[in-house]
Amino acid sequence: MVKEKTRKTKKEKTPKPKYNMAQNSAYMIKLAWTSGEKKVIVLSLLSALLAVALNLINLYVSPTILSVVERKASVTELIVTIVIFVAALMLVSAASSYVNTNTLYGRISTRCEIITLLNKKAATTSYPNVYDEKFKKLKIKSQEAINSNRSATEAIWTTLTDLTTNIIGFIFYVVLMSSIQPLLLIAILVTTVISYFVSNYLNEWGYRHREEESEYATQIFYLDRRSSDLTVAKDIRIFGLRPWIDELYTKGLATYTAFHSRAQGVYIWARIVDLVLTFLRNAIAYAYLIGLVIGNGLSVSEFLLFFSAVGGFTAWVSGILGGFNTLHTQSLDISSVRECLEYPEPFKFEDGEPIEAEADRLYEIKLENVSFRYPGADKNTLTNINLTLHPGEKLAVVGLNGAGKTTLIKLVCGFLDPTEGRILLDGKDIRDFNRRDYYKMFSAVFQEFSLLAGSIATNVAQDSEGIDVERVIDCVEKAGLRKKIESLQDGYETYLNREVFEEAILLSGGETQRLMLARALYKNAPFIVLDEPTAALDPIAESEMYQKYNEMTSGKSSIYISHRLASTRFCDRIIMIADGGIGEEGTHEELIKAGGRYAELFEVQSKYYKEGEGENEEN
């Protein structure tokens, strides 16, 4: 299975990066400039100049001193010459060390700026992108480009500095060696260029197979996260999942390791080609210099200067092309980052029409011929839905598991756009609104929710500053959780989430759901949406909670989803989702009287609860 998948992946063509080296280098320079880290650019250039100066001093120190000795100059001149070079070396080395140390902080800050941008993109991107496979793979690649000092978004500054150093040094050495046979310089350039292109093609292998690598990495990271997730700790122990997880992780790691073994094999050939061409290049250069010594009678100091210069020239050329090679590899990662940041948004945000969520105003939501199909699905989840949520109405949505109830809620809340049809808010298509403004219209409690690593008050208010404590207490009381919270030592300042705070508490499932209800109340939006938030409560507690919520949300439009039909009897209208559409519609009494599928399910559930009550009485 894995082998077949690997072969299939290898045949797939990976698209070329959207941006080239020059564009990505310019992007990083612009980012440093606009983010207030202009010193990174200046210090990097200064570092390059100091590196060249240090190299030139080292190049000339021995030939110059030897020349003084050859001329049989005075001891004083010799000492002065040595002192000058030593002082120059010390001064330039100290300045270079100081500049390089201070450049580091700006480079880290620039990388952190990219981390902030990526986090913002992940937190604010259109909801469909969250499940987009291409976007998820780009996020993984982007994470690799920002997770350490050696990552591309920081290491590129070292590469650009070294590249600038090599280019400036190359120019100086070309001028110095202008008296040497041009054919020698051409031979050095040709062999180095060939080495560059061969190495570049082989080193690009990793990028051409980046999606394959990302797929293996995703599997490993997923297993790693789930195995350390506190929410699945009980399942792992009760069902003995550890051996199975270990087996999956071992197989995934073996596949990932095999991929990198293949990659290393390709990279080794790149190094071998480079080594052979380097040997050939140096052999030609040294043979020519020896010929000059024998035939033209170069002095000892000149021989030493040119001998060092040839090696230095080769190093500059190799450094330039090697720098471009490294820059190319880093550019691929930075291109992934930019593609992730610029990933298309199917929703309108700042370019959409602004809308103000007025808590006391009554709105109407209307679905016209709405159909929806998930990407890659064979059929629609919902088909031709026509539904109006009237101002101030309490609507219940019921149906079997998988009928499409949650999908309907996601459409109403604007998390998804219809495949066909449209959704209107007071007669306007919601696709024309700023989607973030539209989200403010809803207070919601979903089946899956998150607890922030913070205090109870922070989780209710969804903010860390300007919290209305009296309002928090009122909402918690309405949700039926005040007694529990006030019994805690730190009350509303009690921390949640033990992954961050050791002293944090763990709320039960029912208590957590009540906390989420309090959070929804605190937001005080025009629409209330409850997507089976009371699943952890028993039927009686759920019914009581819904009745209480009915009282708390008086005057607001509400949508309730529940698999327990009796819990929604207080609603103004009930719709039953079946076969991708609205199968039945009416009040609880009307649907019971109609004797359809709703009545059948209600009878089954009622009988179950009655039997349960009888057994409890006997016990």
Side-chain angles (χ1 to χ4, degrees):
M1 180 80 176
V2 175
K3 290 182 179 179
E4 292 177 0
K5 198 169 188 178
T6 301
R7 285 196 294 269
K8 180 181 178 182
T9 306
K10 288 173 67 177
K11 293 179 182 178
E12 295 175 354
K13 290 185 178 180
T14 301
K16 291 184 178 180
K18 185 176 180 180
Y19 300 102
N20 58 36
M21 288 187 294
Q23 291 171 321
N24 287 324
S25 299
Y27 172 80
M28 292 300 297
I29 293 172
K30 181 180 179 182
L31 182 66
W33 188 272
T34 56
S35 64
E37 293 297 338
K38 301 180 181 67
K39 61 183 179 182
V40 174
I41 305 169
V42 176
L43 292 177
S44 294
L45 181 58
L46 185 56
S47 177
L49 292 173
L50 289 170
V52 173
L54 190 62
N55 181 277
L56 290 175
I57 293 172
N58 282 309
L59 174 67
Y60 278 96
V61 59
S62 296
T64 302
I65 293 174
L66 189 59
S67 176
V68 172
V69 173
E70 283 182 327
R71 290 189 291 105
K72 298 181 180 180
S74 65
V75 175
T76 301
E77 183 181 348
L78 179 62
I79 293 175
V80 170
T81 303
I82 294 174
V83 170
I84 290 174
F85 274 101
V86 170
L89 284 171
M90 291 178 61
L91 181 62
V92 174
S93 296
S96 180
S97 179
Y98 177 81
V99 169
N100 290 336
T101 300
N102 283 275
T103 305
L104 178 64
Y105 305 111
R107 295 176 179 181
I108 294 175
S109 295
T110 305
R111 176 167 62 89
C112 288
E113 180 68 17
I114 295 179
I115 292 174
T116 300
L117 292 174
L118 285 170
N119 287 340
K120 182 179 179 181
K121 178 69 173 183
T124 60
T125 191
S126 301
Y127 187 81
N129 286 349
V130 176
Y131 296 101
D132 188 314
E133 288 300 320
K134 182 178 179 182
F135 181 70
K136 289 196 290 186
K137 289 177 180 178
L138 280 173
K139 282 204 302 179
I140 292 174
K141 291 296 296 182
S142 298
Q143 192 63 38
E144 295 173 359
I146 61 172
N147 61 8
S148 72
N149 300 104
R150 296 181 180 180
S151 299
T153 50
E154 184 174 333
I156 189 174
W157 293 108
T158 300
T159 303
L160 289 174
T161 300
D162 291 344
L163 198 53
T164 303
T165 302
N166 288 314
I167 291 173
I168 296 174
F170 172 80
I171 294 172
F172 272 105
Y173 273 54
V174 166
V175 174
L176 173 64
M177 298 176 63
S178 58
S179 60
I180 296 181
Q181 174 59 254
L183 290 177
L184 175 61
L185 298 180
I186 293 174
I188 295 173
L189 287 173
V190 169
T191 54
T192 307
V193 168
I194 293 174
S195 175
Y196 167 74
F197 282 110
V198 172
S199 297
N200 181 62
Y201 177 78
L202 294 175
N203 286 328
E204 199 182 30
W205 186 91
Y207 182 80
R208 294 196 298 271
H209 295 77
R210 60 176 180 165
E211 291 193 2
E212 181 182 353
E213 179 186 12
S214 177
E215 183 177 345
Y216 299 145
T218 300
Q219 295 172 2
I220 294 174
F221 294 154
Y222 170 78
L223 289 170
D224 184 63
R225 288 195 308 271
R226 296 303 291 170
S227 62
S228 59
D229 190 344
L230 290 176
T231 61
V232 298
K234 296 189 292 294
D235 296 300
I236 291 175
R237 286 158 176 78
I238 289 294
F239 294 102
L241 298 179
R242 179 177 174 179
W244 181 50
I245 293 176
D246 286 344
E247 180 183 1
L248 290 176
Y249 188 85
T250 301
K251 289 181 178 179
L253 187 61
T255 306
Y256 189 65
T257 303
F259 172 84
H260 279 281
S261 295
R262 283 194 290 138
Q264 290 303 318
V266 174
Y267 298 150
I268 287 173
W269 277 110
R271 302 296 178 269
I272 292 174
V273 170
D274 183 61
L275 181 64
V276 171
L277 290 174
T278 299
F279 177 80
L280 178 63
R281 181 167 60 239
N282 291 339
I284 294 173
Y286 294 148
Y288 179 78
L289 271 180
I290 292 172
L292 286 179
V293 171
I294 296 173
N296 293 31
L298 283 177
S299 65
V300 176
S301 58
E302 287 176 327
F303 172 80
L304 181 60
L305 176 64
F306 286 122
F307 185 85
S308 301
V310 167
F313 181 77
T314 302
W316 291 129
V317 175
S318 299
I320 290 173
L321 296 180
F324 277 118
N325 199 9
T326 302
L327 184 62
H328 176 75
T329 303
Q330 292 169 344
S331 177
L332 298 177
D333 287 338
I334 294 174
S335 185
S336 294
V337 171
R338 296 181 67 185
E339 288 174 44
C340 183
L341 290 173
E342 298 167 7
Y343 201 77
E345 296 290 349
F347 297 162
K348 290 183 178 180
F349 292 112
E350 282 69 23
D351 56 336
E353 180 183 341
I355 179 174
E356 188 73 26
E358 301 176 35
D360 298 327
R361 178 181 166 184
L362 296 177
Y363 299 83
E364 178 187 82
I365 292 181
K366 188 173 185 179
L367 281 70
E368 291 185 346
N369 303 315
V370 168
S371 297
F372 181 79
R373 178 180 297 188
Y374 285 98
D378 297 329
K379 62 179 182 178
N380 291 342
T381 300
L382 296 172
T383 302
N384 200 31
I385 299 290
N386 287 282
L387 175 67
T388 300
L389 178 60
H390 303 290
E393 182 182 23
K394 291 176 172 53
L395 176 70
V397 181
V398 300
L400 298 176
N401 290 336
K405 304 186 296 297
T406 297
T407 299
L408 178 63
I409 292 301
K410 289 180 178 179
L411 287 165
V412 171
C413 290
F415 295 130
L416 302 172
D417 277 343
T419 307
E420 298 177 11
R422 60 180 186 162
I423 300 174
L424 309 175
L425 175 67
D426 284 350
K428 293 185 177 180
D429 196 320
I430 68 170
R431 283 174 287 203
D432 296 330
F433 291 124
N434 180 328
R435 196 59 63 99
R436 295 192 185 99
D437 287 349
Y438 183 73
Y439 292 149
K440 296 176 183 177
M441 305 290 292
F442 298 88
S443 287
V445 181
F446 299 107
Q447 296 180 43
E448 298 178 359
F449 39 76
S450 60
L451 288 176
L452 294 176
S455 67
I456 289 175
T458 298
N459 274 277
V460 173
Q462 291 290 282
D463 204 343
S464 57
E465 298 179 356
I467 298 176
D468 187 338
V469 178
E470 293 300 322
R471 187 172 162 195
V472 169
I473 295 173
D474 180 60
C475 293
V476 167
E477 182 173 13
K478 288 178 179 178
L481 199 57
R482 181 172 182 176
K483 184 177 179 181
K484 166 67 177 179
I485 293 176
E486 295 185 354
S487 68
L488 301 172
Q489 182 179 349
D490 296 322
Y492 295 92
E493 294 305 313
T494 301
Y495 285 117
L496 302 174
N497 196 326
R498 287 185 178 174
E499 292 183 15
V500 178
F501 302 106
E502 292 183 2
E503 68 274 25
I505 67 164
L506 290 176
L507 295 175
S508 68
E511 289 168 343
T512 302
Q513 288 179 328
R514 289 178 186 273
L515 186 67
M516 295 301 100
L517 292 173
R519 182 175 72 178
L521 283 174
Y522 188 93
K523 185 178 180 182
N524 193 30
F527 292 96
I528 301 294
V529 176
L530 300 182
D531 184 5
E532 296 198 77
T534 57
L537 301 179
D538 60 70
I540 296 176
E542 180 186 39
S543 181
E544 291 176 350
M545 177 61 68
Y546 274 142
Q547 290 294 343
K548 183 182 292 187
Y549 215 81
N550 178 40
E551 299 170 5
M552 291 185 290
T553 59
S554 177
K556 293 184 181 294
S557 302
S558 309
I559 302 177
Y560 303 87
I561 292 181
S562 177
H563 63 283
R564 294 173 181 146
L565 276 55
S567 298
T568 56
R569 297 175 68 171
F570 66 88
C571 292
D572 302 318
R573 184 162 47 120
I574 300 172
I575 62 171
M576 184 169 183
I577 304 297
D579 300 323
I582 300 177
E584 298 178 47
E585 181 177 357
T587 64
H588 175 76
E589 289 74 17
E590 290 172 346
L591 294 175
I592 292 296
K593 186 176 180 180
R597 182 60 174 159
Y598 178 91
E600 292 177 8
L601 289 176
F602 181 77
E603 178 62 26
V604 171
Q605 290 185 1
S606 298
K607 183 178 179 181
Y608 173 78
Y609 294 138
K610 289 176 182 178
E611 289 176 353
E613 289 174 3
E615 292 175 1
N616 290 334
E617 289 175 2
E618 290 177 6
N619 293 331

